[in-house]
């Protein structure tokens, strides 16, 4: 059972380039989300999805785009990378995300992104 | 306003000692959940323990316990008999029930714990 799989693990971009961070889960989870982790700021929610075809913005959505065409996949797109987007990105999922406050998140291993 | 506050950026503890990591939270909701995650140097996020706002007893999971003081809005993590492998970043997080169906987990800034031999 792979859980939540993120690719790539590391990425270096130049300012203005675009790229997609991939996230896939094999646990049949309805809820998927993207966080970024910056020193001294913890993890901040970028976008989330409660099911295929449904997405919504989190705390820091600007500069990022998401879509959810299948239950398994939730890619994060950087349309025009900026140095401020240098961060560690985590994808996370849970069974429903909305049924109860006690649902824990399952995290991927993270993607370290540097924008030069 | 900061919903989750972890006031200790770093802590240093001797091996085998107990350690308490502080977490205070801010919510007007009556139903909420509090979580602690561990992030070792390898970077993955590991779930440690959960406390619900209506749980009558403090949560425990092995060497981890949660000192939940609802009136003070604090949810401190206690690690008993610390081990070298406990050295990591620790995050406190909260999910509120009223927040669009409990879909958002909000994290604190984290505390970096170092266990000295």
């Amino acid at each position: 059972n792979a859980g939540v799989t993120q690719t790539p693990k590391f990425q270096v971009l130049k300012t203005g380039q675009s790229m997609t961070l991939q996230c896939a889960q094999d646990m049949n989870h309805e809820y998927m989300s993207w966080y970024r982790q910056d020193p001294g700021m913890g993890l901040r929610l970028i976008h989330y999805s409660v099911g295929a075809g449904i997405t919504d913005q989190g705390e820091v959505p600007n500069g990022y785009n998401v879509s959810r065409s299948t239950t398994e996949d939730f890619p994060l797109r950087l349309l025009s990378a900026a140095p401020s987007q240098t961060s560690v990105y985590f994808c996370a999922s849970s069974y429903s995300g909305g049924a109860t406050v006690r649902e824990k998140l399952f995290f991927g291993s993270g993607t370290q992104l540097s924008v030069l | 306003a900061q919903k989750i506050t972890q006031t200790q950026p770093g802590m240093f503890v001797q091996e085998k000692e107990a350690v308490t990591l502080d977490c205070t939270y801010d919510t007007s909701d009556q139903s909420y959940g509090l979580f602690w995650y561990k992030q070792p140097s390898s970077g993955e996020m590991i779930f440690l323990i959960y406390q619900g706002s209506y749980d009558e007893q403090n949560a425990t999971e092995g060497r981890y316990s949660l000192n939940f003081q609802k009136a003070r809005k604090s949810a401190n993590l206690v690690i008993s008999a610390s081990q070298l492998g406990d050295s990591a970043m620790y995050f406190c997080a909260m999910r509120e029930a009223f927040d669009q169906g409990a879909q958002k987990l909000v994290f604190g800034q984290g505390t970096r714990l170092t266990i000295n031999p």
Side-chain angles (χ1 to χ4, degrees):
Chain A
N1 194 345
V4 181
T5 303
Q6 283 184 240
T7 55
K9 291 191 180 300
F10 302 94
Q11 184 70 50
V12 179
L13 292 177
K14 294 181 180 179
T15 297
Q17 286 185 318
S18 63
M19 80 157 297
T20 299
L21 305 185
Q22 300 292 345
C23 176
Q25 52 87 14
D26 61 359
M27 297 175 282
N28 202 30
H29 284 172
E30 290 293 325
Y31 178 84
M32 297 185 74
S33 57
W34 279 100
Y35 286 85
R36 60 177 289 172
Q37 181 181 8
D38 301 293
M41 303 191 75
L43 280 76
R44 292 180 293 169
L45 183 64
I46 304 172
H47 285 286
Y48 65 96
S49 169
V50 297
I54 306 170
T55 64
D56 206 346
Q57 297 180 350
E59 180 185 358
V60 287
N62 292 340
Y64 307 96
N65 197 7
V66 293
S67 60
R68 183 98 179 266
S69 57
T70 66
T71 299
E72 294 78 19
D73 301 300
F74 190 46
L76 178 72
R77 298 182 185 85
L78 283 71
L79 303 177
S80 178
S84 61
Q85 294 178 304
T86 293
S87 188
V88 178
Y89 292 84
F90 286 97
C91 180
S93 71
S94 66
Y95 180 66
S96 74
T100 171
V101 293
R102 68 173 49 246
E103 280 196 33
K104 67 181 182 184
L105 285 178
F106 294 82
F107 282 84
S109 56
T111 296
Q112 192 166 325
L113 176 68
S114 295
V115 182
L116 307 177
Chain B
Q2 191 78 19
K3 285 193 175 276
I4 297 285
T5 303
Q6 295 180 252
T7 57
Q8 306 153 310
M11 285 194 68
F12 296 84
V13 173
Q14 286 298 119
E15 189 179 9
K16 299 181 184 178
E17 288 183 351
V19 57
T20 298
L21 304 182
D22 295 340
C23 173
T24 58
Y25 58 90
D26 182 26
T27 181
S28 57
D29 199 358
Q30 295 303 308
S31 178
Y32 51 90
L34 297 157
F35 302 77
W36 278 92
Y37 281 82
K38 173 184 179 181
Q39 186 182 42
S41 58
S42 54
E44 73 265 34
M45 296 289 289
I46 302 168
F47 166 76
L48 294 178
I49 196 167
Y50 166 82
Q51 179 82 44
S53 59
Y54 290 120
D55 293 343
E56 295 184 351
Q57 292 188 332
N58 287 343
T60 61
E61 290 284 350
R63 292 187 299 112
Y64 304 107
S65 61
L66 206 151
N67 184 2
F68 180 48
Q69 299 187 43
K70 195 170 182 176
R72 294 186 176 186
K73 295 186 176 179
S74 74
N76 299 338
L77 177 70
V78 180
I79 306 174
S80 64
S82 59
Q83 303 171 356
L84 296 179
D86 294 331
S87 294
M89 182 74 85
Y90 289 81
F91 291 99
C92 180
M94 177 177 67
R95 177 183 280 124
E96 297 164 287
F98 74 83
D99 192 359
Q100 295 185 354
Q103 292 157 354
K104 301 175 186 176
L105 197 59
V106 178
F107 286 81
Q109 310 95 312
T111 295
R112 183 169 297 282
L113 175 65
T114 302
I115 307 298
N116 295 316

